Amino acid sequence: MAFFFEVLIGGLLAGVMYSLVAIGFVLIYKASGVFNFAQGAMVLFAALTFVSLLERGVPFWLSFLVTLATMIALALLIERAVLRPLVGRSPITLFMATLGLAYIIEGAAQALWGAQVHGLELAISDAPLELGGLLLSQFDLFAAATAAALVVLLSLLFNRTRIGLALRAVADDPRAAMSVGIRLPRVWAVVWAVAGFVGLVAGLLWGARLGVQFSLSLVVLKALPVLIIGGFTSISGAIVGGLIIGASEKLAEVYFGPLIGGGIENWFPYVLALLFLLVRPAGLFGERAIERV
């Protein structure tokens, strides 16, 4: 039984890492209806910028601040140069724009910092920590605490501030929000800037876990089942979806993997997401689309 709980809790903690990436999607989709496929490239760009500054002798906190400023500037540039001119276009047009943007960001990262693999050390031990007889990863515990703090921060921002009220109004009805004086470009700019910050946090944690390399941008693919299960418009849904994916893939790998040859955790989340699409397309916390004809 102790082994089962170790696998379960380890999976839950790993699922928090997926949630960090999914939150960036939720923020932008909730405010503008855009599925930002470039979020994975933003995670890569943040991690690569940070580690490249460190390797050039820039102090840790200064590297963090410079990278944060860079990510906010990049997010604002994307919103201004890509999203705003495409307002009113079809969702597939916006999606293809962000898909192309992902390759542009990856190419820019390679041109600026090179294509070599970097190791990223955050001074966080990954050695097992014994808690109540269970062995848990210290790094996963730190990542979970970081995600919890981030969710609390975002909740305060979007529930207790005027910009948060404006965001909720834009998410409910953009035209009605504009009619009462809410400036959509300002709301979008704030949301994209926050998404850039979330991309930085996710990039540092994922870079420390996997190494900073160009395959890091593919972490966006694991965020897809998280969004499908949790819902595309809910931050809490992104957290719950990540926990479900993390726990289910680890348990499936340990208990069903040996029966079918292993490697099940690579595709099991997508099977689970497909089942949710068949039963509950909007996800657990997503808003069901209502069309009037």
Side-chain angles (χ1 to χ4, degrees), residues 192-273:
W192 277 82
V194 174
F197 170 70
V198 173
L200 170 59
V201 175
L204 295 185
L205 293 176
W206 275 104
R209 168 57 61 82
L210 302 178
V212 181
Q213 52 191 318
F214 277 79
S215 62
L216 191 63
S217 63
L218 298 179
V219 72
V220 66
L221 298 178
K222 191 56 76 75
L224 292 178
V226 173
L227 293 167
I228 291 172
I229 292 174
F232 281 79
T233 58
S234 172
I235 293 177
S236 57
I239 296 295
V240 173
L243 296 177
I244 292 174
I245 290 297
S248 61
E249 71 174 11
K250 296 300 181 185
L251 290 173
E253 178 67 29
V254 170
Y255 290 102
F256 298 110
L259 301 177
I260 59 176
I264 190 173
E265 66 177 323
N266 294 324
W267 52 264
F268 184 79
Y270 301 97
V271 174
L272 197 60

Side-chain angles (χ1 to χ4, degrees), residues 108-269:
Q110 183 173 351
L112 285 173
W113 307 117
Q116 65 271 26
V117 178
H118 303 265
L120 177 57
E121 179 57 56
L122 297 180
I124 305 168
S125 175
D126 200 20
L129 180 67
E130 185 173 354
L131 293 174
L134 303 177
L135 296 177
L136 304 176
S137 167
Q138 295 184 45
F139 185 88
D140 287 343
L141 289 172
F142 175 82
T146 301
L150 189 61
V151 169
V152 171
L153 181 64
L154 292 176
S155 297
L156 292 175
L157 175 64
F158 294 128
N159 293 323
R160 300 300 179 91
T161 64
R162 295 187 64 180
I163 191 64
L165 180 62
L167 171 62
R168 296 200 304 274
V170 170
D172 290 338
D173 192 329
R175 293 183 180 179
M178 291 178 63
S179 69
V180 296
I182 295 177
R183 298 174 57 188
L184 261 65
R186 181 187 173 205
V187 174
W188 287 339
V190 171
V191 169
W192 277 82
V194 174
F197 170 70
V198 173
L200 170 59
V201 175
L204 295 185
L205 293 176
W206 275 104
R209 168 57 61 82
L210 302 178
V212 181
Q213 52 191 318
F214 277 79
S215 62
L216 191 63
S217 63
L218 298 179
V219 72
V220 66
L221 298 178
K222 191 56 76 75
L224 292 178
V226 173
L227 293 167
I228 291 172
I229 292 174
F232 281 79
T233 58
S234 172
I235 293 177
S236 57
I239 296 295
V240 173
L243 296 177
I244 292 174
I245 290 297
S248 61
E249 71 174 11
K250 296 300 181 185
L251 290 173
E253 178 67 29
V254 170
Y255 290 102
F256 298 110
L259 301 177
I260 59 176
I264 190 173
E265 66 177 323
N266 294 324
W267 52 264
F268 184 79

Side-chain angles (χ1 to χ4, degrees), residues 66-78 189 192-194 196-197:
V66 171
T67 306
L68 176 59
T70 301
M71 292 306 300
I72 292 176
L74 175 64
L76 293 176
L77 178 63
I78 292 172
W192 277 82
V194 174
F197 170 70

